[in-house]
Amino acid sequence: MRVVVDLNRCQAYAQCCYAAPDRFVLRGDEILVYDPAPPASDRAAVDRAVQACPVRAIRVEHDRAPAERAA
Amino acid sequence: MRDGTIVIAGASLAGLRGAEALRAHGFAGRLILVGDEPHLPYDRPPLSKHVLTGEIAPGATTLPGVGTVEAEWRLGAKARGLDRAGRALLLANGERLAFDRLLIATGARARPWPKPEEARLSGIHTLRSRDDAASLAAGLAARPKRVLILGAGFIGCEVASSIRALGLPVTVVDPAPAPLAQALGRVIGGFIAGRMEAAGVDLRLGVQVTHLEGDGQGECVMRRARLDDGGTIEADCVVVALGAVRNTDWLAGSGLRADEGGLSCDSACRALDEAGRPVPDIFAAGDVARVPYPLYGGRPVALEHWGNAVAQAAHAARAMLDGPEAAGAYAELPAFWSSQFGLNIKSLGLTEGADAVAIVQGSPRTGRFLAVYGRAGRTIAAVSVDAGRWLPAYEGPIRDGAPFPPITGGADQPDPDPVSPGLPAPATARGDQS
Ligand SMILES: Cc1cc2nc3c(=O)[nH]c(=O)nc-3n(C[C@H](O)[C@H](O)[C@H](O)COP(=O)(O)OP(=O)(O)OC[C@H]3O[C@@H](n4cnc5c(N)ncnc54)[C@H](O)[C@@H]3O)c2cc1C
Ligand code: SF4
């Protein structure tokens, strides 16, 4: 799984932290720290975080990346 | 244009988001992403923050979208030149990639320590790529006696914060009178300086490093820095954070208007030739692109902001497929964030040229505040420190150039008291972010 949060948009509402406490935490008042590569077993929780974010700042991709290769 | 071949040079944030936008707008042809790094596009902001503290593995930041965008990846392949007449991208391995349209998204690289023989000492780092972050993290894991950071821009300050979080001694040297002075000015930079010192950073302002010296023994390990005031700093690990250089050197001889400061474009992100005419089939986006801003009187601006790479790539994609008129002029408001020393800093607009700053909400005393920047009586930018939710209210006033300060009579700040922001004179301006 790959996760990125648009931190320009994030308003530190912490909704994601309630939905997936193991993958999103707020540090200090406003610093969101998140796991950009959560295990597939966390899919449901991370999807809930995406839905819970009031400003739609979280993007997730579940597919596997194509194998990294050199040209 | 919906068919044919589009090549994207530079396979990172702007390249990937450009590819996605092309597909989203209905491009059905062949799409090739060329990147000199061996990695799929990954996110850079965590590299100076939670990757250095060890909370995030360097390899974990691959961006969502890489698995679904329908494109051919040419990774570990460097673009070396451009055959404009033949409409082909030339790769370092000798290959020619023919294109109907080209999107240039080669970004920027860290400005190295200017003395190459000193820059080769072991223990000296720059920070731009995932591999740089892994190498610096390994250097920190060896518990250096002291880390020296050259430059108190965003990257330098974020790295200093991460290193203090690891409990290592760190010195930051910058010729400016305050950290982040280039972007935020001396007033807000002075507040950050207080936080840095409270966190145990040895902050040396108003001085410059002139020499980096090794131990003089076979291995040439970093040992000591000499300052222009005659002082020395003993450090076995150095992070050179002196800003960025745009990756345009490979365009030399292409006839495009490009230099260390970027590739000049028109407001539809079309590259300009040396005569200043837009080239119809070559576009650029992200850190590499210098695009005129309607908000700043049409002045060409190259940004080093994550949000700019995303928005500009989408804008370029639109202009590539539907034409420059349909896309209109790129007018995204510059915006970025940084986190360091437990603070979240966010910015809207550009502070450059500001002649006044006013704290309009909160107070540096409490550590939460919003500062607004004005120029000749107009509002041009706003910066929040742990007060991001107040920031969106200033987007309209900045776009409209509302009278400065734009909002008065606030509950906690009825009469904002503007002072000079202490920004460096534009003539001596160095890089933008970092
Ligand atoms: C450590 C760090 C922290 C940051 N933190 C923040 C932050 O907190 N907030 C914020 O707003 N922004 C931040 N940024 C800035 C943000 O990451 C950049 O604005 C963004 O990465 C720009 O994307 P880009 O695709 O234009 O360029 P880049 O990310 O630089 O990507 C360009 C790609 O092109 C490749 N390339 C270069 N030349 C060639 C060539 N000749 N052929 C093929 N490939 C080539 C490069 O290797 C690279 O992979 C940070 C940047 C760094 C480095
Ligand atoms: S829910 Fe959204 S806005 Fe709130 S902290 Fe998470 S990402 Fe940020």
Side-chain angles (χ1 to χ4, degrees), chain B residues 10 12-14 35-37 44-45 48-49 77-79 105-108 128 155 247 250 286-287 304-306 309 336-337:
Chain B
S12 184
L13 182 62
D36 60 357
E37 294 189 68
R44 291 175 206 273
S48 50
K49 308 174 182 83
K78 191 177 167 68
T106 46
R128 179 81 200 178
I155 304 274
N247 288 319
W250 65 278
D287 283 12
E304 289 170 54
H305 300 164
W306 190 94
F336 71 85
W337 80 92

PDB file of all heavy atoms in Angstrom, chain B residues 10 12-14 35-37 44-45 48-49 77-79 105-108 128 155 247 250 286-287 304-306 309 336-337, ligand 1:
ATOM      1  N   GLY B  10      12.121  13.146 -16.479  1.00  0.00           N
ATOM      2  CA  GLY B  10      12.058  13.389 -15.035  1.00  0.00           C
ATOM      3  C   GLY B  10      10.891  12.607 -14.466  1.00  0.00           C
ATOM      4  O   GLY B  10       9.736  12.936 -14.736  1.00  0.00           O
ATOM      5  N   SER B  12       9.558  11.993 -11.292  1.00  0.00           N
ATOM      6  CA  SER B  12       9.322  12.181  -9.862  1.00  0.00           C
ATOM      7  C   SER B  12       7.917  12.751  -9.691  1.00  0.00           C
ATOM      8  O   SER B  12       7.014  12.406 -10.459  1.00  0.00           O
ATOM      9  CB  SER B  12      10.414  13.068  -9.276  1.00  0.00           C
ATOM     10  OG  SER B  12      10.278  13.189  -7.886  1.00  0.00           O
ATOM     11  N   LEU B  13       7.753  13.643  -8.721  1.00  0.00           N
ATOM     12  CA  LEU B  13       6.398  14.123  -8.410  1.00  0.00           C
ATOM     13  C   LEU B  13       5.715  14.775  -9.609  1.00  0.00           C
ATOM     14  O   LEU B  13       4.594  14.396  -9.990  1.00  0.00           O
ATOM     15  CB  LEU B  13       6.487  15.105  -7.240  1.00  0.00           C
ATOM     16  CG  LEU B  13       5.178  15.676  -6.725  1.00  0.00           C
ATOM     17  CD1 LEU B  13       4.266  14.577  -6.191  1.00  0.00           C
ATOM     18  CD2 LEU B  13       5.446  16.704  -5.618  1.00  0.00           C
ATOM     19  N   ALA B  14       6.366  15.753 -10.244  1.00  0.00           N
ATOM     20  CA  ALA B  14       5.732  16.454 -11.365  1.00  0.00           C
ATOM     21  C   ALA B  14       5.553  15.506 -12.547  1.00  0.00           C
ATOM     22  O   ALA B  14       4.531  15.557 -13.249  1.00  0.00           O
ATOM     23  CB  ALA B  14       6.557  17.679 -11.768  1.00  0.00           C
ATOM     24  N   GLY B  35      13.448   8.551 -16.170  1.00  0.00           N
ATOM     25  CA  GLY B  35      14.010   9.079 -14.925  1.00  0.00           C
ATOM     26  C   GLY B  35      15.421   8.574 -14.702  1.00  0.00           C
ATOM     27  O   GLY B  35      15.693   7.393 -14.924  1.00  0.00           O
ATOM     28  N   ASP B  36      16.318   9.454 -14.265  1.00  0.00           N
ATOM     29  CA  ASP B  36      17.699   8.990 -14.077  1.00  0.00           C
ATOM     30  C   ASP B  36      17.886   8.227 -12.770  1.00  0.00           C
ATOM     31  O   ASP B  36      18.835   7.468 -12.621  1.00  0.00           O
ATOM     32  CB  ASP B  36      18.701  10.148 -14.198  1.00  0.00           C
ATOM     33  CG  ASP B  36      18.474  11.246 -13.180  1.00  0.00           C
ATOM     34  OD1 ASP B  36      17.507  11.155 -12.398  1.00  0.00           O
ATOM     35  OD2 ASP B  36      19.255  12.209 -13.155  1.00  0.00           O
ATOM     36  N   GLU B  37      16.972   8.404 -11.818  1.00  0.00           N
ATOM     37  CA  GLU B  37      17.096   7.618 -10.601  1.00  0.00           C
ATOM     38  C   GLU B  37      16.573   6.206 -10.879  1.00  0.00           C
ATOM     39  O   GLU B  37      15.710   6.019 -11.729  1.00  0.00           O
ATOM     40  CB  GLU B  37      16.269   8.253  -9.473  1.00  0.00           C
ATOM     41  CG  GLU B  37      16.793   9.617  -9.038  1.00  0.00           C
ATOM     42  CD  GLU B  37      16.095  10.113  -7.779  1.00  0.00           C
ATOM     43  OE1 GLU B  37      16.312   9.516  -6.717  1.00  0.00           O
ATOM     44  OE2 GLU B  37      15.340  11.087  -7.865  1.00  0.00           O
ATOM     45  N   ARG B  44       9.531  13.424  -1.579  1.00  0.00           N
ATOM     46  CA  ARG B  44      10.757  13.939  -0.948  1.00  0.00           C
ATOM     47  C   ARG B  44      10.563  14.596   0.424  1.00  0.00           C
ATOM     48  O   ARG B  44      11.475  14.534   1.257  1.00  0.00           O
ATOM     49  CB  ARG B  44      11.459  14.940  -1.881  1.00  0.00           C
ATOM     50  CG  ARG B  44      12.032  14.268  -3.105  1.00  0.00           C
ATOM     51  CD  ARG B  44      12.634  15.235  -4.111  1.00  0.00           C
ATOM     52  NE  ARG B  44      12.556  14.589  -5.414  1.00  0.00           N
ATOM     53  CZ  ARG B  44      13.490  13.771  -5.890  1.00  0.00           C
ATOM     54  NH1 ARG B  44      14.588  13.556  -5.208  1.00  0.00           N
ATOM     55  NH2 ARG B  44      13.319  13.180  -7.047  1.00  0.00           N
ATOM     56  N   PRO B  45       9.440  15.280   0.692  1.00  0.00           N
ATOM     57  CA  PRO B  45       9.351  15.994   1.975  1.00  0.00           C
ATOM     58  C   PRO B  45       9.702  15.161   3.214  1.00  0.00           C
ATOM     59  O   PRO B  45      10.365  15.679   4.123  1.00  0.00           O
ATOM     60  CB  PRO B  45       7.899  16.501   1.993  1.00  0.00           C
ATOM     61  CG  PRO B  45       7.632  16.776   0.539  1.00  0.00           C
ATOM     62  CD  PRO B  45       8.298  15.620  -0.189  1.00  0.00           C
ATOM     63  N   SER B  48      13.799  14.837   4.812  1.00  0.00           N
ATOM     64  CA  SER B  48      14.526  15.676   5.775  1.00  0.00           C
ATOM     65  C   SER B  48      13.883  15.609   7.161  1.00  0.00           C
ATOM     66  O   SER B  48      14.404  16.200   8.098  1.00  0.00           O
ATOM     67  CB  SER B  48      14.538  17.122   5.286  1.00  0.00           C
ATOM     68  OG  SER B  48      13.223  17.528   4.931  1.00  0.00           O
ATOM     69  N   LYS B  49      12.759  14.921   7.238  1.00  0.00           N
ATOM     70  CA  LYS B  49      12.003  14.912   8.498  1.00  0.00           C
ATOM     71  C   LYS B  49      12.005  13.499   9.087  1.00  0.00           C
ATOM     72  O   LYS B  49      12.987  13.103   9.707  1.00  0.00           O
ATOM     73  CB  LYS B  49      10.580  15.429   8.232  1.00  0.00           C
ATOM     74  CG  LYS B  49      10.585  16.792   7.495  1.00  0.00           C
ATOM     75  CD  LYS B  49       9.186  17.245   7.108  1.00  0.00           C
ATOM     76  CE  LYS B  49       9.182  18.551   6.336  1.00  0.00           C
ATOM     77  NZ  LYS B  49       9.432  18.408   4.891  1.00  0.00           N
ATOM     78  N   ALA B  77      17.648   5.941 -16.485  1.00  0.00           N
ATOM     79  CA  ALA B  77      17.987   6.433 -17.829  1.00  0.00           C
ATOM     80  C   ALA B  77      18.033   7.951 -17.785  1.00  0.00           C
ATOM     81  O   ALA B  77      17.045   8.598 -17.429  1.00  0.00           O
ATOM     82  CB  ALA B  77      16.948   5.964 -18.841  1.00  0.00           C
ATOM     83  N   LYS B  78      19.173   8.508 -18.138  1.00  0.00           N
ATOM     84  CA  LYS B  78      19.337   9.954 -18.044  1.00  0.00           C
ATOM     85  C   LYS B  78      19.098  10.606 -19.401  1.00  0.00           C
ATOM     86  O   LYS B  78      19.639  10.145 -20.414  1.00  0.00           O
ATOM     87  CB  LYS B  78      20.758  10.238 -17.558  1.00  0.00           C
ATOM     88  CG  LYS B  78      20.989  11.684 -17.165  1.00  0.00           C
ATOM     89  CD  LYS B  78      22.419  11.827 -16.635  1.00  0.00           C
ATOM     90  CE  LYS B  78      22.826  13.273 -16.508  1.00  0.00           C
ATOM     91  NZ  LYS B  78      22.104  14.007 -15.476  1.00  0.00           N
ATOM     92  N   ALA B  79      18.297  11.662 -19.405  1.00  0.00           N
ATOM     93  CA  ALA B  79      18.155  12.461 -20.625  1.00  0.00           C
ATOM     94  C   ALA B  79      19.424  13.296 -20.759  1.00  0.00           C
ATOM     95  O   ALA B  79      19.852  13.954 -19.815  1.00  0.00           O
ATOM     96  CB  ALA B  79      16.934  13.355 -20.526  1.00  0.00           C
ATOM     97  N   ALA B 105      10.343  17.653 -16.660  1.00  0.00           N
ATOM     98  CA  ALA B 105      10.072  17.692 -15.215  1.00  0.00           C
ATOM     99  C   ALA B 105      11.298  17.177 -14.470  1.00  0.00           C
ATOM    100  O   ALA B 105      11.197  16.301 -13.613  1.00  0.00           O
ATOM    101  CB  ALA B 105       8.835  16.855 -14.895  1.00  0.00           C
ATOM    102  N   THR B 106      12.470  17.724 -14.840  1.00  0.00           N
ATOM    103  CA  THR B 106      13.716  17.214 -14.269  1.00  0.00           C
ATOM    104  C   THR B 106      14.090  17.875 -12.936  1.00  0.00           C
ATOM    105  O   THR B 106      15.154  17.576 -12.385  1.00  0.00           O
ATOM    106  CB  THR B 106      14.886  17.341 -15.273  1.00  0.00           C
ATOM    107  OG1 THR B 106      14.871  18.649 -15.862  1.00  0.00           O
ATOM    108  CG2 THR B 106      14.753  16.326 -16.398  1.00  0.00           C
ATOM    109  N   GLY B 107      13.227  18.735 -12.415  1.00  0.00           N
ATOM    110  CA  GLY B 107      13.394  19.206 -11.046  1.00  0.00           C
ATOM    111  C   GLY B 107      14.688  19.953 -10.779  1.00  0.00           C
ATOM    112  O   GLY B 107      15.210  20.692 -11.621  1.00  0.00           O
ATOM    113  N   ALA B 108      15.208  19.741  -9.596  1.00  0.00           N
ATOM    114  CA  ALA B 108      16.403  20.452  -9.141  1.00  0.00           C
ATOM    115  C   ALA B 108      17.278  19.478  -8.371  1.00  0.00           C
ATOM    116  O   ALA B 108      16.855  18.379  -8.024  1.00  0.00           O
ATOM    117  CB  ALA B 108      15.996  21.623  -8.250  1.00  0.00           C
ATOM    118  N   ARG B 128      18.805  15.443  -1.281  1.00  0.00           N
ATOM    119  CA  ARG B 128      17.770  15.676  -2.284  1.00  0.00           C
ATOM    120  C   ARG B 128      17.018  14.376  -2.575  1.00  0.00           C
ATOM    121  O   ARG B 128      15.822  14.365  -2.734  1.00  0.00           O
ATOM    122  CB  ARG B 128      18.413  16.202  -3.587  1.00  0.00           C
ATOM    123  CG  ARG B 128      17.438  16.470  -4.716  1.00  0.00           C
ATOM    124  CD  ARG B 128      16.755  17.812  -4.557  1.00  0.00           C
ATOM    125  NE  ARG B 128      15.534  17.871  -5.333  1.00  0.00           N
ATOM    126  CZ  ARG B 128      14.720  18.914  -5.353  1.00  0.00           C
ATOM    127  NH1 ARG B 128      15.024  20.009  -4.672  1.00  0.00           N
ATOM    128  NH2 ARG B 128      13.617  18.895  -6.051  1.00  0.00           N
ATOM    129  N   ILE B 155      15.542  23.221   4.386  1.00  0.00           N
ATOM    130  CA  ILE B 155      16.147  21.891   4.493  1.00  0.00           C
ATOM    131  C   ILE B 155      17.122  21.862   5.676  1.00  0.00           C
ATOM    132  O   ILE B 155      17.090  20.944   6.499  1.00  0.00           O
ATOM    133  CB  ILE B 155      16.884  21.512   3.185  1.00  0.00           C
ATOM    134  CG1 ILE B 155      15.935  21.598   1.992  1.00  0.00           C
ATOM    135  CG2 ILE B 155      17.554  20.144   3.308  1.00  0.00           C
ATOM    136  CD1 ILE B 155      15.116  20.421   1.684  1.00  0.00           C
ATOM    137  N   ASN B 247      17.781  21.361 -12.727  1.00  0.00           N
ATOM    138  CA  ASN B 247      18.396  20.400 -13.641  1.00  0.00           C
ATOM    139  C   ASN B 247      18.110  20.753 -15.098  1.00  0.00           C
ATOM    140  O   ASN B 247      17.243  20.160 -15.754  1.00  0.00           O
ATOM    141  CB  ASN B 247      17.899  18.989 -13.333  1.00  0.00           C
ATOM    142  CG  ASN B 247      18.487  18.461 -12.038  1.00  0.00           C
ATOM    143  OD1 ASN B 247      19.667  18.666 -11.763  1.00  0.00           O
ATOM    144  ND2 ASN B 247      17.674  17.803 -11.244  1.00  0.00           N
ATOM    145  N   TRP B 250      21.372  19.524 -19.024  1.00  0.00           N
ATOM    146  CA  TRP B 250      21.229  18.613 -20.161  1.00  0.00           C
ATOM    147  C   TRP B 250      20.557  19.299 -21.361  1.00  0.00           C
ATOM    148  O   TRP B 250      20.569  18.760 -22.465  1.00  0.00           O
ATOM    149  CB  TRP B 250      20.451  17.363 -19.745  1.00  0.00           C
ATOM    150  CG  TRP B 250      19.018  17.611 -19.350  1.00  0.00           C
ATOM    151  CD1 TRP B 250      18.560  18.039 -18.145  1.00  0.00           C
ATOM    152  CD2 TRP B 250      17.865  17.437 -20.184  1.00  0.00           C
ATOM    153  NE1 TRP B 250      17.192  18.158 -18.160  1.00  0.00           N
ATOM    154  CE2 TRP B 250      16.743  17.787 -19.400  1.00  0.00           C
ATOM    155  CE3 TRP B 250      17.679  17.025 -21.504  1.00  0.00           C
ATOM    156  CZ2 TRP B 250      15.439  17.733 -19.902  1.00  0.00           C
ATOM    157  CZ3 TRP B 250      16.369  16.967 -21.997  1.00  0.00           C
ATOM    158  CH2 TRP B 250      15.266  17.329 -21.196  1.00  0.00           C
ATOM    159  N   GLY B 286       6.978  21.890 -12.472  1.00  0.00           N
ATOM    160  CA  GLY B 286       7.655  21.534 -11.225  1.00  0.00           C
ATOM    161  C   GLY B 286       8.847  22.435 -10.938  1.00  0.00           C
ATOM    162  O   GLY B 286       8.953  23.550 -11.464  1.00  0.00           O
ATOM    163  N   ASP B 287       9.768  21.940 -10.133  1.00  0.00           N
ATOM    164  CA  ASP B 287      10.902  22.750  -9.684  1.00  0.00           C
ATOM    165  C   ASP B 287      11.719  23.314 -10.841  1.00  0.00           C
ATOM    166  O   ASP B 287      12.346  24.352 -10.716  1.00  0.00           O
ATOM    167  CB  ASP B 287      11.834  21.911  -8.794  1.00  0.00           C
ATOM    168  CG  ASP B 287      11.299  21.720  -7.387  1.00  0.00           C
ATOM    169  OD1 ASP B 287      10.117  22.033  -7.159  1.00  0.00           O
ATOM    170  OD2 ASP B 287      12.065  21.255  -6.521  1.00  0.00           O
ATOM    171  N   GLU B 304      10.079  25.866  -5.399  1.00  0.00           N
ATOM    172  CA  GLU B 304      10.497  24.525  -4.973  1.00  0.00           C
ATOM    173  C   GLU B 304       9.475  24.036  -3.958  1.00  0.00           C
ATOM    174  O   GLU B 304       9.797  23.770  -2.809  1.00  0.00           O
ATOM    175  CB  GLU B 304      11.890  24.569  -4.351  1.00  0.00           C
ATOM    176  CG  GLU B 304      12.978  24.813  -5.352  1.00  0.00           C
ATOM    177  CD  GLU B 304      14.308  25.102  -4.676  1.00  0.00           C
ATOM    178  OE1 GLU B 304      14.738  24.285  -3.842  1.00  0.00           O
ATOM    179  OE2 GLU B 304      14.886  26.149  -4.963  1.00  0.00           O
ATOM    180  N   HIS B 305       8.236  23.991  -4.407  1.00  0.00           N
ATOM    181  CA  HIS B 305       7.137  23.625  -3.533  1.00  0.00           C
ATOM    182  C   HIS B 305       6.428  22.394  -4.087  1.00  0.00           C
ATOM    183  O   HIS B 305       6.095  22.350  -5.266  1.00  0.00           O
ATOM    184  CB  HIS B 305       6.096  24.755  -3.461  1.00  0.00           C
ATOM    185  CG  HIS B 305       6.633  26.046  -2.937  1.00  0.00           C
ATOM    186  ND1 HIS B 305       5.945  27.218  -3.099  1.00  0.00           N
ATOM    187  CD2 HIS B 305       7.750  26.353  -2.256  1.00  0.00           C
ATOM    188  CE1 HIS B 305       6.639  28.198  -2.531  1.00  0.00           C
ATOM    189  NE2 HIS B 305       7.734  27.698  -2.020  1.00  0.00           N
ATOM    190  N   TRP B 306       6.150  21.462  -3.222  1.00  0.00           N
ATOM    191  CA  TRP B 306       5.451  20.222  -3.559  1.00  0.00           C
ATOM    192  C   TRP B 306       4.131  20.514  -4.292  1.00  0.00           C
ATOM    193  O   TRP B 306       3.862  19.939  -5.347  1.00  0.00           O
ATOM    194  CB  TRP B 306       5.199  19.485  -2.245  1.00  0.00           C
ATOM    195  CG  TRP B 306       4.704  18.096  -2.302  1.00  0.00           C
ATOM    196  CD1 TRP B 306       5.470  16.958  -2.263  1.00  0.00           C
ATOM    197  CD2 TRP B 306       3.338  17.665  -2.327  1.00  0.00           C
ATOM    198  NE1 TRP B 306       4.649  15.857  -2.276  1.00  0.00           N
ATOM    199  CE2 TRP B 306       3.353  16.264  -2.305  1.00  0.00           C
ATOM    200  CE3 TRP B 306       2.108  18.329  -2.361  1.00  0.00           C
ATOM    201  CZ2 TRP B 306       2.174  15.498  -2.327  1.00  0.00           C
ATOM    202  CZ3 TRP B 306       0.942  17.569  -2.384  1.00  0.00           C
ATOM    203  CH2 TRP B 306       0.977  16.183  -2.373  1.00  0.00           C
ATOM    204  N   ALA B 309       4.504  21.551  -7.908  1.00  0.00           N
ATOM    205  CA  ALA B 309       4.818  20.467  -8.845  1.00  0.00           C
ATOM    206  C   ALA B 309       3.550  19.743  -9.256  1.00  0.00           C
ATOM    207  O   ALA B 309       3.355  19.401 -10.430  1.00  0.00           O
ATOM    208  CB  ALA B 309       5.824  19.494  -8.201  1.00  0.00           C
ATOM    209  N   PHE B 336       3.317  26.302   0.642  1.00  0.00           N
ATOM    210  CA  PHE B 336       4.136  25.184   1.111  1.00  0.00           C
ATOM    211  C   PHE B 336       3.982  25.024   2.614  1.00  0.00           C
ATOM    212  O   PHE B 336       3.406  25.870   3.289  1.00  0.00           O
ATOM    213  CB  PHE B 336       5.612  25.363   0.737  1.00  0.00           C
ATOM    214  CG  PHE B 336       6.323  26.446   1.503  1.00  0.00           C
ATOM    215  CD1 PHE B 336       6.872  26.195   2.756  1.00  0.00           C
ATOM    216  CD2 PHE B 336       6.445  27.713   0.965  1.00  0.00           C
ATOM    217  CE1 PHE B 336       7.534  27.193   3.469  1.00  0.00           C
ATOM    218  CE2 PHE B 336       7.106  28.714   1.671  1.00  0.00           C
ATOM    219  CZ  PHE B 336       7.642  28.454   2.918  1.00  0.00           C
ATOM    220  N   TRP B 337       4.482  23.888   3.094  1.00  0.00           N
ATOM    221  CA  TRP B 337       4.516  23.655   4.537  1.00  0.00           C
ATOM    222  C   TRP B 337       5.910  23.193   4.912  1.00  0.00           C
ATOM    223  O   TRP B 337       6.674  22.743   4.060  1.00  0.00           O
ATOM    224  CB  TRP B 337       3.488  22.575   4.928  1.00  0.00           C
ATOM    225  CG  TRP B 337       4.016  21.208   4.645  1.00  0.00           C
ATOM    226  CD1 TRP B 337       4.708  20.400   5.500  1.00  0.00           C
ATOM    227  CD2 TRP B 337       3.959  20.506   3.392  1.00  0.00           C
ATOM    228  NE1 TRP B 337       5.079  19.248   4.851  1.00  0.00           N
ATOM    229  CE2 TRP B 337       4.629  19.283   3.570  1.00  0.00           C
ATOM    230  CE3 TRP B 337       3.389  20.795   2.149  1.00  0.00           C
ATOM    231  CZ2 TRP B 337       4.771  18.361   2.541  1.00  0.00           C
ATOM    232  CZ3 TRP B 337       3.528  19.869   1.130  1.00  0.00           C
ATOM    233  CH2 TRP B 337       4.203  18.671   1.333  1.00  0.00           C
TER     234      TRP B 337
HETATM  235  C1  LIG C   1      14.447  16.944   1.490  1.00  0.00           C
HETATM  236  C2  LIG C   1      13.312  17.722   0.883  1.00  0.00           C
HETATM  237  C3  LIG C   1      12.250  18.141   1.675  1.00  0.00           C
HETATM  238  C4  LIG C   1      11.195  18.868   1.121  1.00  0.00           C
HETATM  239  N1  LIG C   1      10.165  19.278   1.932  1.00  0.00           N
HETATM  240  C5  LIG C   1       9.148  19.992   1.398  1.00  0.00           C
HETATM  241  C6  LIG C   1       8.086  20.451   2.209  1.00  0.00           C
HETATM  242  O1  LIG C   1       8.062  20.201   3.432  1.00  0.00           O
HETATM  243  N2  LIG C   1       7.093  21.182   1.636  1.00  0.00           N
HETATM  244  C7  LIG C   1       7.098  21.482   0.310  1.00  0.00           C
HETATM  245  O2  LIG C   1       6.169  22.155  -0.180  1.00  0.00           O
HETATM  246  N3  LIG C   1       8.084  21.042  -0.509  1.00  0.00           N
HETATM  247  C8  LIG C   1       9.112  20.315   0.017  1.00  0.00           C
HETATM  248  N4  LIG C   1      10.139  19.888  -0.806  1.00  0.00           N
HETATM  249  C9  LIG C   1      10.108  20.239  -2.236  1.00  0.00           C
HETATM  250  C10 LIG C   1       9.419  19.201  -3.101  1.00  0.00           C
HETATM  251  O3  LIG C   1       9.856  17.910  -2.766  1.00  0.00           O
HETATM  252  C11 LIG C   1       9.739  19.513  -4.566  1.00  0.00           C
HETATM  253  O4  LIG C   1       9.144  20.739  -4.867  1.00  0.00           O
HETATM  254  C12 LIG C   1       9.239  18.441  -5.520  1.00  0.00           C
HETATM  255  O5  LIG C   1       9.929  17.237  -5.308  1.00  0.00           O
HETATM  256  C13 LIG C   1       9.422  18.886  -6.968  1.00  0.00           C
HETATM  257  O6  LIG C   1       9.070  17.846  -7.821  1.00  0.00           O
HETATM  258  P1  LIG C   1       9.664  17.744  -9.299  1.00  0.00           P
HETATM  259  O7  LIG C   1       9.088  16.498  -9.849  1.00  0.00           O
HETATM  260  O8  LIG C   1       9.460  19.023  -9.997  1.00  0.00           O
HETATM  261  O9  LIG C   1      11.243  17.633  -9.127  1.00  0.00           O
HETATM  262  P2  LIG C   1      12.132  16.523  -8.428  1.00  0.00           P
HETATM  263  O10 LIG C   1      11.389  15.952  -7.255  1.00  0.00           O
HETATM  264  O11 LIG C   1      13.460  17.131  -8.221  1.00  0.00           O
HETATM  265  O12 LIG C   1      12.237  15.388  -9.528  1.00  0.00           O
HETATM  266  C14 LIG C   1      12.976  15.506 -10.703  1.00  0.00           C
HETATM  267  C15 LIG C   1      13.409  14.118 -11.129  1.00  0.00           C
HETATM  268  O13 LIG C   1      14.045  14.197 -12.396  1.00  0.00           O
HETATM  269  C16 LIG C   1      15.243  13.459 -12.360  1.00  0.00           C
HETATM  270  N5  LIG C   1      16.163  14.000 -13.378  1.00  0.00           N
HETATM  271  C17 LIG C   1      16.931  15.113 -13.309  1.00  0.00           C
HETATM  272  N6  LIG C   1      17.643  15.291 -14.429  1.00  0.00           N
HETATM  273  C18 LIG C   1      17.319  14.263 -15.243  1.00  0.00           C
HETATM  274  C19 LIG C   1      17.721  13.882 -16.555  1.00  0.00           C
HETATM  275  N7  LIG C   1      18.591  14.611 -17.255  1.00  0.00           N
HETATM  276  N8  LIG C   1      17.182  12.759 -17.090  1.00  0.00           N
HETATM  277  C20 LIG C   1      16.286  12.018 -16.401  1.00  0.00           C
HETATM  278  N9  LIG C   1      15.874  12.327 -15.164  1.00  0.00           N
HETATM  279  C21 LIG C   1      16.380  13.436 -14.588  1.00  0.00           C
HETATM  280  C22 LIG C   1      15.726  13.646 -10.946  1.00  0.00           C
HETATM  281  O14 LIG C   1      16.685  12.668 -10.593  1.00  0.00           O
HETATM  282  C23 LIG C   1      14.419  13.511 -10.173  1.00  0.00           C
HETATM  283  O15 LIG C   1      14.105  12.176  -9.924  1.00  0.00           O
HETATM  284  C24 LIG C   1      11.206  19.161  -0.260  1.00  0.00           C
HETATM  285  C25 LIG C   1      12.288  18.740  -1.066  1.00  0.00           C
HETATM  286  C26 LIG C   1      13.337  18.036  -0.497  1.00  0.00           C
HETATM  287  C27 LIG C   1      14.483  17.596  -1.368  1.00  0.00           C
END
